[in-house]
Amino acid sequence: MICSFESHIPRKFGLAEDAILTRMMLNEITSNRCRRLVGMSHFAKRTALAMHEGTPAYDVIKAKMMVQHPNVELGREGDRLKGDDASRLVLTFVGGHFVRKGGCVAVRIAEKAIEQGLPIEVNIISSLKAGKDVWSDPTDPDFLKKYLDLLNLPNVNHEPGLPNEKARELMGKSHFTLLPTFEDTFGFSAIESMAEYTPVIGTSVCALPEVIYHGRNGYLLHLDQDELGEWVRPDKTERHTEAYTRIYHDTIEMLADEALEYLKPLIGNPEALAAMRADARYTAEQMFSAEVAGPRWDDLYERVSRESVRTPAVCDPVLDQSSPESPAFLFEDRPVGGI
């Protein structure tokens, strides 16, 4: 078997280290029957290896671990904003977890745009799940209310949910997709956005630096991060405290201001936006296309099926190549916008 994972493996949240299920899962992934452990990002690989560091399982797990990014079907409609004059910018945020994914940042961008007289419109596609039921959010209900009230702004359009096809169409009609997330295992909306020619404004944490190359296919908003790539903040056990809430508030303001500074020069600048859109699509084609990924997965499964479970599982140093850690290589010799 081959096991893929998005962050921790085994995924044992809420289980004790000596729980029977924990031991069973660990035995499965360290057995010779498990031939590869495939992380969906290098962030996932770092996270998984860190949880096993110093244990007898570490070397066994590391030997069979590789990285393959998720893939996506490329949009077939072409660039829906071709010929747009960029006189009014449309941004779209997609995320069920409103606070964790960065919805508060999105609505503050809209409010600040009104205050500064900027022609910016923000779409919010979210079920608005937030607060105490989301593991990372501040629990103070007053914190959430002031951001939810901003959904009534004249330049904000809220959809509680859309079919994937409609959501991708809306992304394609947007100048940017917003994913200013505080923590995310990958951020699938980012690659769906690029598959529709739309660059992404995201944060510099977790797996997003493996997707976004700053200034070419989007922008990375700065968050301080630890050695794994996670945002540095107080422990989540403190999320009921005023200090934890204040850090979220201040960080939302910082991210909204930074995003607007990147957006302002693009208003009325269709050439720059067209170049970024071409680079976003190029990233999706080269790194995340299902047509490219399919044969690679087929080859992996065929090779693994021929391996003997009597031998230890080890990645082939030539054939089991991991996905790149950054899109930077795509742009080393590529002119801006591919022109």
Side-chain angles (χ1 to χ4, degrees):
M1 63 182 174
I2 294 172
C3 292
S4 61
F5 63 96
E6 57 179 309
S7 58
H8 302 76
I9 189 166
R11 201 169 181 85
K12 56 182 181 63
F13 301 147
L15 294 174
E17 288 294 333
D18 59 351
I20 293 175
L21 186 55
T22 300
R23 296 200 303 269
M24 288 176 61
M25 291 190 292
L26 184 61
N27 288 340
E28 286 295 316
I29 66 171
T30 55
S31 74
N32 286 348
R33 294 189 306 108
C34 178
R35 304 306 296 179
R36 299 292 187 278
L37 294 171
V38 185
M40 67 168 57
S41 66
H42 290 274
F43 165 71
K45 180 179 179 180
R46 292 193 300 271
T47 301
L49 289 178
M51 71 180 285
H52 294 288
E53 190 169 3
T55 71
Y58 180 84
D59 289 337
V60 174
I61 286 173
K62 184 178 180 180
K64 64 175 79 175
M65 189 173 287
M66 58 186 292
V67 173
Q68 286 297 321
H69 288 144
N71 58 81
V72 65
E73 292 286 346
L74 299 175
R76 306 297 182 186
E77 300 298 321
D79 186 352
R80 293 179 175 89
L81 292 187
K82 186 176 182 179
D84 180 81
D85 64 5
S87 60
R88 177 181 63 95
L89 299 188
V90 177
L91 319 176
T92 294
F93 165 82
V94 181
H97 284 184
F98 182 68
V99 177
R100 181 175 68 86
K101 294 274 190 173
C104 298
V105 179
V107 293
R108 279 296 284 144
I109 289 172
E111 185 176 38
K112 288 172 181 283
I114 292 176
E115 294 169 352
Q116 299 176 34
L118 301 174
I120 293 176
E121 179 181 326
V122 177
N123 299 313
I124 303 290
I125 306 174
S126 177
S127 60
L128 305 180
K129 187 173 183 179
K132 64 180 182 179
D133 293 331
V134 179
W135 61 88
S136 58
D137 289 2
T139 59
D140 181 359
D142 292 334
F143 165 84
L144 179 61
K145 182 180 183 304
K146 63 183 177 183
Y147 296 107
L148 294 180
D149 287 345
L150 298 181
L151 294 171
N152 298 313
L153 290 171
N155 62 339
V156 173
N157 307 301
H158 173 228
E159 291 282 354
L162 285 176
N164 183 258
E165 179 183 353
K166 293 295 184 182
R168 285 188 55 163
E169 181 181 350
L170 186 57
M171 289 181 189
K173 293 178 178 178
S174 305
H175 296 86
F176 285 91
T177 292
L178 296 173
L179 189 57
T181 180
F182 293 101
E183 76 174 62
D184 232 318
T185 50
F186 190 81
F188 292 99
S189 64
I191 62 174
E192 289 184 311
S193 176
M194 291 185 186
E196 301 293 345
Y197 289 83
T198 302
V200 181
I201 298 177
T203 40
S204 60
V205 294
C206 302
L208 284 180
E210 301 176 37
V211 179
I212 301 171
Y213 188 61
H214 186 77
R216 293 298 298 263
N217 61 15
Y219 294 108
L220 286 170
L221 309 177
H222 177 74
L223 285 177
D224 290 335
Q225 55 201 268
D226 60 20
E227 65 277 3
L228 295 180
E230 294 185 314
W231 178 37
V232 176
R233 62 173 164 204
D235 190 88
K236 295 169 191 174
T237 58
E238 302 296 316
R239 64 195 189 101
H240 63 285
T241 66
E242 182 178 346
Y244 191 94
T245 303
R246 172 56 57 183
I247 285 177
Y248 259 82
H249 170 79
D250 292 347
T251 304
I252 288 166
E253 293 302 298
M254 177 191 72
L255 294 175
D257 287 338
E258 186 178 353
L260 281 172
E261 290 307 305
Y262 292 130
L263 291 168
K264 288 176 186 177
L266 297 174
I267 298 172
N269 189 351
E271 293 82 8
L273 274 167
M276 293 191 77
R277 295 181 70 78
D279 284 342
R281 173 68 176 206
Y282 181 68
T283 304
E285 292 171 347
Q286 298 298 312
M287 290 183 65
F288 304 112
S289 166
E291 292 181 359
V292 174
R296 185 168 60 237
W297 281 105
D298 289 344
D299 174 72
L300 176 62
Y301 273 94
E302 289 173 3
R303 286 190 292 105
V304 166
S305 70
R306 295 192 296 268
E307 295 178 358
S308 171
V309 295
R310 296 184 179 88
T311 62
V314 178
C315 285
D316 186 295
V318 176
L319 299 177
D320 291 330
Q321 292 293 316
S322 288
S323 298
E325 295 190 53
S326 165
F329 75 99
L330 295 176
F331 303 107
E332 290 176 354
D333 300 312
R334 176 177 165 83
V336 174
I339 301 172

